[in-house]
Amino acid sequence: MASLATCLLFVAAAMAQDFKVSVGGQLHLSQLNIDSHLVNDGIEPGAGLEVGLNYALSDQWSVNTGVGVAWHQSRTSAARITGSENTQDLEGENFRFDYLINNYNESQKFVALSIPLNLQYESKGHTRFYSRLGASYQILTGVQQQASAQTLTTSGYFDRFNGTLTAPAFAGFGTYRNLDFKQRDFDLNNSINATLELGIKEPMDQGFLYIGAFVEYGLNDINKNSDTTQGTLSFNSSSPTDFIANGNFQSQDNTGKAIIDSARLFITGIKLRYQFGPKRKI
């Protein structure tokens, strides 16, 4: 029994030498790389934290996993959007709501919980160069969109009167400037990303410091709302001047085609990571 206990302790100590825990952070740029005939995408900054687990296969090869959380932003914009919908006014009268939006801008914000799995190779020597290649599963949560417009021109066609109203403004008809629409929630599919990271690994007193640059590219479409039937803007029957921006990811154009056909998550940035544990022999 004493020999077995000694053997188990020896194996545990050996495995402890091969497993190392790391903590770190990242600064990045995010983009929802979209396929759209109407709007353009843009890049916004973000940040994240991670806890990693490294298992050494040899002095130069290792497998890495862990868990991370990151805060992302992206944006979409369009110079001109037109649309219409059948709705009701404040008194319940049916009419067709027509609108023209100039300089429409929209930001998307979301949190990603990531689980990476990659293979690492590093050079020999004191300061080592390393590369990591693999994939990550990104759980996208807390997704919100915030929209604005430079100008909005609206009108209402009432079939019962065979007439079009372009005023009054308090009834939701006219020209409005510098509008900020209410923030809204929506859903995105989770993302599977191919990942690549390159950098240097510097020995410290009680571990290693990693400094690297990384890129992640989504392999799947994360747009969950391409079959929508609503337009970019909706009339608010209970509050006519509080127009509802439905969001590019949840809207169709005036021909019935989805504004965004597909979207893939793209991230690039820098990482700073500290790995705990005794240094392997060089």
Side-chain angles (χ1 to χ4, degrees):
M1 290 296 294
S3 298
L4 178 59
T6 301
C7 182
L8 292 174
L9 288 173
F10 177 79
V11 171
M15 291 184 66
Q17 294 293 318
D18 291 331
F19 278 104
K20 292 185 174 66
V21 175
S22 65
V23 295
Q26 67 184 50
L27 296 174
H28 61 253
L29 298 172
S30 305
Q31 179 181 14
L32 295 179
N33 194 359
I34 64 173
D35 180 12
S36 173
H37 63 289
L38 187 59
V39 300
N40 300 312
D41 53 41
I43 298 174
E44 294 291 334
L49 301 171
E50 69 172 17
V51 176
L53 183 64
N54 173 286
Y55 177 72
L57 302 174
S58 67
D59 190 46
Q60 292 181 274
W61 292 92
S62 59
V63 176
N64 299 274
T65 186
V67 64
V69 57
W71 294 265
H72 294 274
Q73 299 181 89
S74 66
R75 57 183 169 86
T76 53
S77 62
R80 177 186 173 94
I81 297 178
T82 60
S84 64
E85 70 167 1
N86 294 319
T87 185
Q88 293 182 333
D89 65 9
L90 192 61
E91 297 178 351
E93 186 75 38
N94 294 327
F95 75 100
R96 188 186 71 222
F97 175 62
D98 299 315
Y99 57 87
L100 165 63
I101 311 172
N102 287 309
N103 293 327
Y104 179 82
N105 290 280
E106 184 177 301
S107 64
Q108 299 86 30
K109 297 181 180 180
F110 56 96
V111 177
L113 303 177
S114 63
I115 303 173
L117 180 63
N118 51 64
L119 183 66
Q120 176 177 310
Y121 172 79
E122 59 191 76
S123 64
K124 295 183 178 180
H126 183 78
T127 298
R128 298 187 171 195
F129 295 94
Y130 75 90
S131 62
R132 287 184 172 186
L133 181 65
S136 70
Y137 186 70
Q138 304 274 342
I139 302 172
L140 308 185
T141 183
V143 188
Q144 297 178 325
Q145 62 93 3
Q146 175 74 61
S148 64
Q150 187 176 43
T151 62
L152 168 65
T153 301
T154 65
S155 63
Y157 173 73
F158 290 79
D159 184 64
R160 190 160 72 93
F161 307 114
N162 191 26
T164 299
L165 292 181
T166 58
F170 67 81
F173 309 122
T175 297
Y176 308 83
R177 302 185 186 278
N178 300 321
L179 294 175
D180 289 316
F181 302 101
K182 289 184 179 179
Q183 183 172 274
R184 299 194 66 190
D185 299 334
F186 71 105
D187 293 325
L188 290 173
N189 292 319
N190 296 333
S191 181
I192 300 173
N193 291 9
T195 64
L196 173 65
E197 182 180 341
L198 302 172
I200 60 172
K201 177 182 178 182
E202 185 72 23
M204 306 293 285
D205 288 341
Q206 297 297 324
F208 291 95
L209 179 66
Y210 285 80
I211 304 173
F214 74 97
V215 61
E216 297 196 25
Y217 184 76
L219 301 176
N220 64 304
D221 179 15
I222 62 173
N223 185 20
K224 201 172 186 177
N225 308 278
S226 59
D227 59 348
T228 182
T229 59
Q230 62 188 2
T232 299
L233 206 67
S234 291
F235 186 79
N236 189 342
S237 298
S238 61
S239 182
T241 58
D242 293 329
F243 304 102
I244 301 171
N246 295 312
N248 288 324
F249 282 84
Q250 304 177 96
S251 304
Q252 63 180 18
D253 64 13
N254 55 4
T255 68
K257 179 178 175 58
I259 289 179
I260 294 178
D261 294 318
S262 63
R264 297 176 189 273
L265 179 60
F266 176 78
I267 313 166
T268 184
I270 57 174
K271 287 190 177 185
L272 186 67
R273 183 187 304 110
Y274 186 83
Q275 185 182 84
F276 299 93
K279 298 185 285 293
R280 295 175 63 86
K281 294 182 180 180
I282 299 175

